[in-house]
Amino acid sequence: MGLTKQGLYDPALEHDSCGVAFVADLSGRASHDIVEQGLTALANLDHRGATGEDAAAGDGAGILTQIPDAFLRGTVPFDLPPQGSYAVGIAYLPVPELERDLATIAIHRIAAEEGLKVIGWRDLPLDTSSLSPVSEAARPYFAQLFVSSHTGDTDIALDRRAYCLRRRVENEVGVYFSSLSARTLVYKGMLTTSQLEQVYPELHDERFASALVLVHSRFSTNTFPSWSLAHPFRMIAHNGEINTIKGNRARMRARESLLATNLIPDSLERIFPICRPGESDSASFDEVLELLHLGGRSLAHAMLMMIP
């Protein structure tokens, strides 16, 4: 029996590509129920993701939430400033301890240069029992970094400083951050949809609350699966494939010398290239959208600029 049109669903619109879902409280009330509904939506997108020969080696799954302030305050062994006055994100650090220590030292140095204070680190508790040996072999060491501004920046102003820190760390140290923000937090990985909540069990903590969640199940098309290329990224989760990506990246590179904003501190040259080599089409889209938004445009304006 074939699929039939029902309500907002039309089988003519079906395509074989990534799955994405969004859950939000229209009144902006944060709750753990929203997070649980997001995880349920993600599980229902299992058919939209892909796996390798080993069915436990997923192309990627992830979730973006607002900062779960009450949860974080109850789990870190240090004092946090008021919500909005600290940025937090998960760093993908090297597994060997010496390399990890050297990377951490470099991150502290760059943070100081960017006018940021490192409040502390939190090792992320994981349950890796469901992981494929393929995923486990590629897994980095996960730790959450907490930073604040020496000048008292909050919310999006703090995000602009954290953005510069994150970009420099990625370029100079080779450490990836799934996010680093005072507003949102991303958990993701080279996972299946069911593995996300298993690998990151704290997503089920009742204190973990958000007024919105964005979830994604990945079917990689133009890049191989990896922990860092899972969605959501910092601003988007993407369903589809951008076939003009080589030209888009070249045009973005050509315009870098013309980029200017008085909202992002100091020269932008230290965060170039905007589109980092080796990323996916979605990652490059996210990198440009993030720059446009943090550079002063509304998110709606920046999104319209991304449409050819």
Side-chain angles (χ1 to χ4, degrees):
M1 182 176 177
L3 296 173
T4 59
K5 188 173 181 179
Q6 181 178 355
L8 295 176
Y9 174 76
D10 186 343
L13 301 177
E14 281 284 357
H15 298 283
D16 291 326
S17 52
C18 308
V20 62
F22 183 78
V23 183
D25 184 294
L26 295 180
S27 299
R29 295 167 298 194
S31 71
H32 182 64
D33 287 343
I34 294 292
V35 178
E36 291 291 346
Q37 289 177 45
L39 293 172
T40 299
L42 179 62
N44 291 336
L45 291 171
D46 179 62
H47 65 292
R48 287 298 192 182
T51 62
E53 182 179 3
D54 182 347
D59 272 18
I63 184 171
L64 178 149
T65 72
Q66 293 176 316
I67 299 295
D69 183 67
F71 168 76
L72 293 172
R73 288 184 190 279
T75 54
V76 296
F78 42 80
D79 293 330
L80 289 174
Q83 185 172 3
S85 299
Y86 66 90
V88 57
I90 300 174
Y92 290 28
L93 294 163
V95 173
E97 187 173 0
L98 178 57
E99 293 180 32
R100 189 162 69 246
D101 289 344
L102 292 174
T104 301
I105 292 170
I107 292 170
H108 282 235
R109 173 183 56 79
I110 296 172
E113 292 172 359
E114 294 297 333
L116 294 169
K117 171 189 174 184
V118 174
I119 303 171
W121 291 85
R122 172 182 177 250
D123 290 337
L124 209 60
L126 305 176
D127 179 354
T128 59
S129 59
S130 65
L131 289 184
S132 158
V134 175
S135 303
E136 179 64 25
R139 179 175 64 84
Y141 186 94
F142 294 116
Q144 282 179 329
L145 172 66
F146 295 78
V147 297
S148 62
S149 168
H150 286 300
T151 55
D153 293 316
T154 62
D155 300 317
I156 192 170
L158 178 54
D159 277 6
R160 292 183 176 110
R161 287 194 178 275
Y163 167 71
C164 296
L165 167 61
R166 198 196 78 227
R167 296 287 309 197
R168 286 190 59 192
V169 168
E170 289 171 354
N171 290 337
E172 299 172 28
V173 188
V175 170
Y176 179 85
F177 281 87
S178 58
S179 61
L180 186 60
S181 171
R183 299 179 295 163
T184 57
L185 184 59
V186 173
Y187 289 73
K188 66 177 187 176
M190 191 174 163
L191 308 166
T192 64
T193 58
S194 62
Q195 284 175 334
L196 183 77
E197 58 188 312
Q198 297 173 29
V199 172
Y200 303 115
E202 65 190 37
L203 292 171
H204 286 299
D205 192 297
E206 288 292 331
R207 297 168 296 176
F208 202 113
S210 178
L212 63 87
V213 297
L214 178 64
V215 295
H216 188 277
S217 173
R218 187 173 189 233
F219 196 119
S220 60
T221 50
N222 64 7
T223 53
F224 289 111
S226 75
W227 284 86
S228 61
L229 290 180
H231 301 215
F233 291 102
R234 290 80 183 222
M235 304 294 292
I236 65 150
H238 179 231
N239 175 5
E241 184 171 342
I242 302 170
N243 295 315
T244 57
I245 190 62
K246 184 175 288 188
N248 292 346
R249 287 169 174 157
R251 283 187 287 273
M252 192 65 205
R253 183 64 171 163
R255 289 180 172 90
E256 285 181 350
S257 62
L258 303 176
L259 294 176
T261 175
N262 58 2
L263 294 176
I264 297 176
D266 302 323
S267 169
L268 292 176
E269 290 185 13
R270 70 193 190 286
I271 64 173
F272 291 164
I274 298 303
C275 296
R276 299 176 67 243
E279 300 291 334
S280 65
D281 54 349
S282 301
S284 293
F285 186 103
D286 186 79
E287 287 172 325
V288 176
L289 177 64
E290 183 181 37
L291 176 70
L292 292 174
H293 179 49
L294 295 181
R297 293 173 172 85
S298 71
L299 189 56
H301 184 174
M303 283 297 296
L304 288 172
M305 291 178 67
M306 299 294 292
I307 301 174

